[in-house]
Amino acid sequence: MDLYEALVERMERTGSASGLQEAIAAHLLDSPLSDAQRDRLQAVLIRDIGAERSQSDNSGGVFASLLLRFDAPAANREVLLAASRVLAARYADSARTPEVLTAWFADDRAGAFEALSAMTEAMAQPPLSLGTLLAQRFGAEREAAFDAFLATSRPNREETARFERRFLRGEATKASVDPRIVAAYAKLVSVEPDNVAYVAALLLIQARAGDFSAFVATAAPFATTRADDQVLGTLLGLAYRLTGDPDAAARTAEAASVDLDDPEWIRQLTSRAMATRAGEVDMPSAFAPTWSAYQKRFPQAPAVLALAVQDPEFTPVTVARPLDRLAADDTPGVARGDILRGLWRATVPQGRQDGDASNRQMLIDSLADPAAAGYGAPVVAMVTRDPAVIKELEDELSSLSGAMQGRQMRLYDRVAEAQWGQGGGQARLDALSADLGGPPVRLHDLALFLALEQGAPVALDAQQLAGLTRQLRFVMSPSAGMRLAAARAYGRAGESATAGALLQAALLQSLYPTRRDYADPGDPAPDAAAFLTVLAAFPDQGAARRIRGDLARLAQRQAASPAVMAPFAALASAAD
């Protein structure tokens, strides 16, 4: 209890929460407590909920997950209810938390299910734990609600929209779709045949399943009032060919004014399909699986042959060398940012149960060092100097979570190098420096500031260092890469003690990474070379040698095995 209160007090001062706060609060809420302990826990928990946090996403989802403890001791229920009322007033997306708890404690399972379902629907990104809670505690209620909707003869638009939010969010983009989900989308399309979102999702599912007879049955009625829609006309035309009806394919293509055998049109559609935002579904989403099936069925078709000659590795589904598309001869400069956006969206990591993050990791590695990834001079030039590509890369970085941004220091270096090369590095560094002394900045801005500092002609001054120190205090769990970048900045400015402390922290973090540290694609774990590169930037090489010796001894003392020590063996040569 003392530790929890101390952590909350520190957060109130600094805006930076500790990862321990949630775990401690959960432990206390599940423990038998005295009346005095409960009163104290309630007071601290309410302060925790009400405090301002740096890098807040303005969602109460984490606290809702913490408070929905159905098996907590009965004596602690009032603490849960009191805290939930504060949460409801603080965060709009968690306003129904008290209703969920009240219903559950009254044995009203239906009411609790309805309130919890509605609350998760209102959240932009509900915690996975809330979905797990629904699945584990309300499986029967979910099944009943799902079946009841399918049995409804004429649901209204509000009911279909609620059903889609509650049961179908993200389902259409999964690699394997449950037949009940297919039936549900078919139901939605039958009720709202002109709803583009429902039709597009069903077409995507059918195309991925290779069921182009069903695809035609879905797309043809939808196309009757959209004969001039070129994307829809192409999809339907290709599907007609796949189902053995070339005459219908020709009529559809003519009505839409498209040429199904035009390779440039196919390229354009591929780029549009890849540019769809992660998790979203629109009409071009169905193009990749449709074209993939068409390539296999008709390998001698004009467009298939032409694309094979122009780009042997071209495929709209996966690209073994993702950046080759950036340097295609027919790619205008203004489109390269769109191509990178498409590649970024197409490689979004799947859930752990559906796949891995290898495609995104391959893209990150290629962008971080295209030459090392085997790309030629044209691609290297695009990645390092093309303004559209660099702008898109920074936009994608800015959209990541703070935890993931901290693991992309190589990509921030890429953006910073380009900005210095384009003549805007100093202005951007100065603009970011001006914000360091104020409220917590975005982690994106802090990471970019550290990357830009590396290319600056002079080290940070005292005011900039004070601002950097202030902002680092707001970062809850800096990555090892961010600590290395900060150590470089302090070392260049002659603050060797601070730099050494950061390097030691980064080394310990590298020796014993947590599951969270490298769960997502990004920078590799630092090795000795990364530490030596930072030390080489110090103007005081005497201090650098002393720090290197300290690091070598720390690694030898802390490494649990030779295998753990191996990546840092190069540090040991300075230990003497």
Side-chain angles (χ1 to χ4, degrees):
M1 191 77 78
D2 289 341
L3 177 57
Y4 182 38
E5 186 167 22
L7 291 172
V8 171
E9 287 175 351
R10 187 184 72 171
M11 180 188 63
E12 290 173 331
R13 293 194 309 271
T14 67
S16 179
S18 166
L20 289 173
Q21 284 171 222
E22 182 183 352
I24 295 172
H27 171 74
L28 293 171
L29 289 168
D30 288 337
S31 301
L33 304 173
S34 68
D35 290 344
Q37 289 172 328
R38 275 193 296 274
D39 291 343
R40 187 181 178 195
L41 173 59
Q42 179 174 314
V44 178
L45 184 56
I46 287 173
R47 288 168 58 192
D48 195 356
I49 294 170
E52 293 294 333
R53 284 169 161 75
S54 61
Q55 304 166 29
S56 172
D57 57 3
N58 201 33
S59 171
V62 172
F63 280 114
S65 180
L66 171 67
L67 296 178
L68 293 179
R69 316 191 75 76
F70 294 163
D71 298 322
N76 292 349
R77 289 181 174 180
E78 186 51 46
V79 176
L80 294 171
L81 288 167
S84 73
R85 288 189 285 270
V86 174
L87 177 64
R90 176 75 170 78
Y91 295 102
D93 67 355
S94 303
R96 301 191 71 167
T97 308
E99 186 180 345
V100 178
L101 287 171
T102 300
W104 181 266
F105 294 153
D107 293 326
D108 179 8
R109 293 178 58 90
F113 167 70
E114 183 60 35
L116 180 55
S117 297
M119 186 167 69
T120 57
E121 293 162 24
M123 293 179 177
Q125 291 184 313
L128 292 176
S129 55
L130 293 185
T132 301
L133 185 65
L134 278 167
Q136 291 180 346
R137 296 302 186 103
F138 299 101
E141 286 78 8
R142 281 180 60 84
E143 290 293 315
F146 194 101
D147 293 339
F149 176 82
L150 294 184
T152 303
S153 58
R154 296 297 300 175
N156 58 40
R157 289 182 179 272
E158 181 180 349
E159 291 170 334
T160 58
R162 183 169 61 248
F163 178 84
E164 193 274 338
R165 290 193 305 270
R166 183 166 297 183
F167 295 102
L168 304 183
R169 181 186 284 180
E171 293 291 333
T173 59
K174 289 184 177 179
S176 179
V177 179
D178 189 287
R180 283 162 52 85
I181 300 298
V182 182
Y185 268 114
K187 172 79 172 183
L188 294 181
V189 171
S190 70
V191 174
E192 296 185 38
D194 292 328
N195 189 306
V196 177
Y198 298 161
V199 173
L202 184 56
L203 290 177
L204 174 59
I205 293 170
Q206 292 167 338
R208 283 183 166 175
D211 189 353
F212 287 99
S213 295
F215 188 102
V216 167
T218 300
F222 188 70
T224 55
T225 58
R226 297 170 176 80
D228 58 348
D229 186 321
Q230 293 186 316
V231 175
L232 179 60
T234 303
L235 288 170
L236 183 55
L238 294 174
Y240 273 131
R241 285 185 176 179
L242 286 165
T243 54
D245 193 345
D247 293 338
R251 291 193 299 271
T252 301
E254 182 179 4
S257 301
V258 295
D259 182 355
L260 301 179
D261 296 318
D262 180 2
E264 298 312 312
W265 171 236
I266 298 300
R267 279 188 182 279
Q268 291 181 42
L269 273 186
T270 299
S271 296
R272 290 178 63 179
M274 294 175 70
T276 301
R277 292 188 177 275
E280 296 180 359
V281 178
D282 56 14
M283 199 57 68
S285 300
F287 177 74
T290 302
W291 180 250
S292 180
Y294 185 82
Q295 285 178 303
K296 294 175 183 176
R297 176 75 178 278
F298 302 108
Q300 302 303 314
V304 176
L305 286 174
L307 288 170
V309 171
Q310 295 173 17
D311 186 353
E313 297 186 50
F314 174 80
T315 165
V317 183
T318 58
V319 183
R321 291 165 50 82
L323 300 186
D324 280 339
R325 287 285 293 133
L326 289 174
D329 291 339
D330 60 343
T331 302
V334 293
R336 291 191 180 104
D338 294 337
I339 292 172
L340 179 56
R341 183 184 309 120
L343 290 169
W344 195 267
R345 299 289 186 263
T347 58
V348 64
Q350 299 296 312
R352 296 291 176 261
Q353 72 278 15
D354 293 326
D356 59 26
S358 59
N359 287 340
R360 173 59 66 82
Q361 187 65 59
M362 182 187 299
L363 178 60
I364 289 172
D365 292 341
S366 298
L367 289 166
D369 194 344
Y375 290 94
V379 171
V380 174
M382 296 300 170
V383 173
T384 57
R385 294 197 294 270
D386 188 288
V389 171
I390 296 301
K391 181 182 182 304
E392 182 58 37
L393 178 56
E394 184 178 350
D395 287 347
E396 296 300 344
L397 288 171
S398 71
S399 70
L400 297 176
S401 67
M404 292 185 70
Q405 286 169 339
R407 289 207 53 235
Q408 312 301 329
M409 294 308 298
R410 294 181 301 164
L411 296 186
Y412 281 105
D413 287 344
R414 171 66 57 227
V415 173
E417 288 169 10
Q419 294 200 354
W420 283 111
Q422 294 164 9
Q426 190 63 56
R428 189 71 186 276
L429 180 65
D430 292 343
L432 292 171
S433 297
D435 295 331
L436 295 180
V441 300
R442 297 183 304 166
L443 195 139
H444 168 77
D445 293 330
L446 184 59
L448 183 56
F449 171 81
L450 289 171
L452 285 163
E453 184 280 334
Q454 179 176 204
V458 297
L460 300 181
D461 60 29
Q463 183 176 357
Q464 289 172 316
L465 286 172
L468 175 58
T469 301
R470 171 181 171 78
Q471 293 300 328
L472 286 173
R473 290 190 181 123
F474 294 130
V475 182
M476 184 168 60
S477 299
S479 67
M482 178 168 277
R483 284 190 165 107
L484 287 173
R488 182 189 61 226
Y490 284 104
R492 289 186 67 209
E495 296 287 338
S496 301
T498 302
L502 283 164
L503 287 169
Q504 289 197 25
L507 177 59
L508 289 171
Q509 192 171 354
S510 303
L511 285 169
Y512 296 106
T514 66
R515 290 173 57 192
R516 177 71 259 169
D517 283 336
Y518 300 105
D520 297 308
D523 298 333
D527 57 10
F531 287 84
L532 294 177
T533 299
V534 171
L535 290 170
F538 288 23
D540 184 350
Q541 280 299 296
R545 284 190 293 272
R546 290 191 297 274
I547 292 171
R548 180 176 175 179
D550 292 341
L551 292 173
R553 287 184 285 274
L554 178 64
Q556 291 171 334
R557 186 171 65 250
Q558 294 290 337
S561 69
V564 173
M565 178 62 189
F568 305 98
L571 292 172
S573 61
D576 55 2

